[in-house]
Amino acid sequence: MAVAGGLGVLQGCRVRLLAAYFARLGPGLVTRGSGQRLWRTSERRCWPSVSAGSGLSRSYGSEAKGDEELRVRYLEEENKGIVVLGINRSYAKNSLSKNLIKMLSKAVDALKSDKKVRTIIVRSEVPGIFCAGADLKERAQMSLSEVSSFVSKARTLMNEMANLPVPTIAAIDGTALGGGLELALACDIIVAASSAKMGLVETKLAIIPGAGGTQRLPRAIGMALAKEMIFSARVLNGQEAKSIGLISHVLEQNEAGDAAYRKALALAREFLPQGPVAMRVAKLAINQGMEVDLVTGLAIEEACYAQTIPTKDRLEGLRAFKEKRPPRYKGE
């Protein structure tokens, strides 16, 4: 009886953990009949920087302006469902200013509830640089309270990026230092050119990574290597980053300087045909399962799998398999 009672308490704790987890998602999910829970959708929001294109050129069409610090582009045709966030602060090496953090936060907030979005790519519009970290010239003019507020907003942005309900890919075709690498670490997958430079270099400035770097880097490459990188402020090239598991793919840079972006686009195309609800709950199960013990992780997987059972997409997948045709998923 004592053992049974102990197991009951443990099971009850896991149930409460899962209930609290899904409750935390609250606004991101809606309930439909038979207990089905699906991601909330809303009308697509747009910004002045949104424009269409094939995705392989640096020109984003007539709607994009050269002075925009962040370009948000919904791709079309065979790339429909892919959204590109292009950082474009060339005069400041794409450093993270208060305004850029605000723009990124606004973009992420809109994208997380847009059902038409299947994959997001974060890239640079500036050759040779991904993001140089915080804007230190702006930082030097801040008061102590302003610095604290800025770092808090940057950390919130990275968390929101990490929690986006669709796959995210960082394409590093140049230098990603400090907050720039933290932005990439908040994405699900990182691809980089062999000539790219990456590092958390904050200790050189007598501070530490403050937008998730001390937590996400160890989870990506292990505690010892992460400590070594942060303690030494070491900067790695693409090949070195690949060798320690920091990035998933490394490419030789091409003449256009967008080898990582092209690889990210190819990966995103692989994701497009899959069931949207399945993709979202798969990400959910992986992310949350990595933070708990195996038994609780399996319970999270079970809860996430249950979200796919009553969907129309699951039935469409079975029909398509039977009829030997590509499925036509709608995210329902």
Side-chain angles (χ1 to χ4, degrees), residues 58 125 180:
R58 290 194 177 275
E125 295 300 304

Side-chain angles (χ1 to χ4, degrees), residues 55-76:
L56 293 181
S57 119
R58 290 194 177 275
S59 174
Y60 278 8
S62 59
E63 294 182 37
K65 300 177 181 178
D67 59 351
E68 291 162 351
E69 292 191 348
L70 179 67
R71 298 177 176 182
V72 182
R73 180 170 49 135
Y74 286 76
L75 304 190
E76 298 295 342

Side-chain angles (χ1 to χ4, degrees), residues 5 33 120 174 183 195 210 256 268 276 312 315:
I120 297 167
L183 177 61
S195 58
K312 294 179 182 178
L315 298 178

